[in-house]
Amino acid sequence: MQRSNAGDVTYDDPWYDALASGWGESAASVALPPDRPEPDAAPGAAADIYLEVQRSAAFQEVRRRYRRFVVSGAVAFLLWYVAYVVTATTVPGLMARPVAGAVNVGMLAGLGQFLTTFLLTWAYVRHARLRRDRAALELRWDTQELARGRGGAS
């Protein structure tokens, strides 16, 4: 944070777009945020830390668990969706078969699409919480400790 000449507090915002900040402002009347000072650490130190963590066995295990769940879940859901669309297109008589009153097989399969979306979301959140979040948090803390130890970002 910086104090401006008027005494109020302004925030250093790296995403601030001075030209899009308001209606009818000319470029001359808009004060651009000051350039950020470069950190004292070597520019490659942080990159080396992240590359070291990326190559670690713990990071590879977290990524492997993530990929295994996401790829298998996405493939299963896409197969289910394609089966629904292909069946509705090629065998409309089957989809129109009544189940109970005005409810037919197509309606139940369509509702099943919504249900499987919610179930897949629930399964993903549960999988992340039980199998990945703790390991990812430990990696995050280890990365921060490495960065502090080498004089990198704090």
Side-chain angles (χ1 to χ4, degrees), residues 61-83:
E61 178 66 20
V62 170
R63 292 298 297 170
R64 185 183 60 77
R65 288 178 181 174
Y66 170 78
R67 284 188 198 113
R68 189 178 347 157
F69 182 86
V70 169
V71 169
S72 62
V75 166
F77 185 78
L78 286 174
L79 286 174
W80 160 232
Y81 177 74
V82 168

